Amino acid sequence: MSAAVHAGRFTGKAVTVTGAAQGIGLTVAARIAAEGGAVVLVDRAELVHDVAKELREGGAHAHSVTADLEEFDGAQAAIDEARQQHGRIDVLVNNVGGTIWAKPYEHYTPDQIRAEVQRSLFPTLWTCRAVLPYLIEQRSGTIVNVSSVATRGVNRVPYAAAKGGVNALTASLALEVAQYGIRVVATAPGGTEAPARRVARGPAAQTEQDKRWYQQIVDQTVGSSLLKRYGTLDEQAAAITFLASDEAGYITGSVLPVAGGDQG
């Protein structure tokens, strides 16, 4: 791991990370484990079991769960298993989501619109609902949602609408649960460099038009960043783990853009 590790920052904490088989979710889980946390990695890809095994071989306390978080039953089962592992959940990082198709809105079919919202809003809605009774019983806990600055971006309107919902959920839920000592916060990543995905979110660009539409996203993402570049996985994980930690104990209801100056 190239970024600085804050030794002991999560010692004694039970942390559940969704979408943890690769990308930002994996980087967050690995960082928290390196900082002393006991992590439960949740993903619908079987790959998550291999990832957890690799973390354990490195000395981490890591457990893996496969679940379809687009359905409430899957979210509830995953949260229940995570709690059973440690008797509590101190932090939930909701990282499931991602653009499936990239094109102007008039080219989306109704089924594609529904699928985008199902992928990028409902897993966060469901897992928040599933974990709340446990956190309220504890009178403590932190939820970190991973949103996106693409709420203001081209060729991803259904995804943008879903992530706008994540922002609203973060703000509204924070108001409701502060009385129980629970914080709800979010980051809004911008474009992020990452290795090729081992499990694809959706079909790759097939036609020259598909490729042009995707390139428009890249161009707009870089152009909107004051730093004129994509971020790194470590830069995204640093913001998420900060908000998840006790260092951010006086922050709730906020969405932190992590996009080189693009506010979304």
Side-chain angles (χ1 to χ4, degrees):
M1 183 177 299
S2 60
V5 170
H6 301 270
R9 184 163 58 162
F10 287 95
T11 297
K13 300 285 189 181
V15 181
T16 298
V17 183
T18 72
Q22 55 191 336
I24 291 174
L26 170 55
T27 307
V28 168
R31 172 77 67 85
I32 288 173
E35 297 185 5
V39 292
V40 175
L41 293 79
V42 182
D43 205 288
R44 67 179 175 188
E46 293 293 328
L47 172 64
V48 74
H49 299 306
D50 297 331
V51 169
K53 181 173 181 287
E54 291 171 7
L55 290 179
R56 287 194 299 272
E57 290 171 347
H61 191 166
H63 177 74
S64 53
V65 179
T66 50
D68 181 1
L69 302 182
E70 293 184 18
E71 302 296 334
F72 179 69
D73 288 348
Q76 187 68 71
I79 292 297
D80 288 347
E81 184 170 345
R83 188 184 188 248
Q84 289 165 10
Q85 281 296 307
H86 307 293
R88 60 186 294 110
I89 296 174
D90 295 299
V91 178
L92 169 63
V93 177
N94 284 317
N95 177 62
V96 172
T99 305
I100 305 173
W101 294 277
K103 54 188 173 181
Y105 190 44
E106 68 268 24
H107 294 282
Y108 278 86
T109 68
D111 284 345
Q112 288 173 341
I113 293 167
R114 187 174 295 108
E116 293 277 12
V117 175
Q118 193 77 18
R119 171 73 57 83
S120 291
L121 175 59
F122 274 92
T124 300
L125 278 172
W126 293 145
T127 50
C128 283
R129 173 60 184 83
V131 81
L132 272 182
Y134 293 139
L135 301 187
I136 291 171
E137 180 184 352
Q138 292 171 187
R139 290 298 195 271
S140 67
T142 299
I143 297 172
V144 183
N145 297 323
V146 179
S147 181
S148 174
V149 294
T151 49
R152 185 183 178 91
V154 300
N155 295 353
R156 293 188 281 180
V157 166
Y159 172 74
K163 289 302 189 178
V166 170
N167 292 348
L169 165 65
T170 299
S172 297
L173 188 58
L175 284 170
E176 287 191 10
V177 300
Q179 63 184 311
Y180 304 114
I182 300 166
R183 296 189 301 113
V184 187
V185 289
T187 66
T192 305
E193 294 284 359
R197 295 181 60 85
R198 294 168 69 181
V199 179
R201 287 196 184 111
Q206 299 295 321
T207 69
E208 290 304 311
Q209 180 63 80
D210 290 336
K211 294 174 183 176
R212 285 194 294 271
W213 282 334
Y214 186 79
Q215 187 60 46
Q216 287 171 359
I217 290 178
V218 174
D219 293 345
Q220 186 252 310
T221 299
V222 175
S224 297
S225 166
L226 302 185
L227 299 180
K228 302 305 177 192
R229 65 172 176 86
Y230 271 35
T232 68
L233 290 174
D234 280 332
E235 287 170 329
Q236 298 300 338
I240 292 166
T241 53
F242 164 68
L243 288 177
S245 75
D246 291 341
E247 295 175 88
Y250 197 51
I251 301 173
T252 194
S254 299
V255 178
L256 173 64
V258 189
D262 184 355
Q263 300 299 301

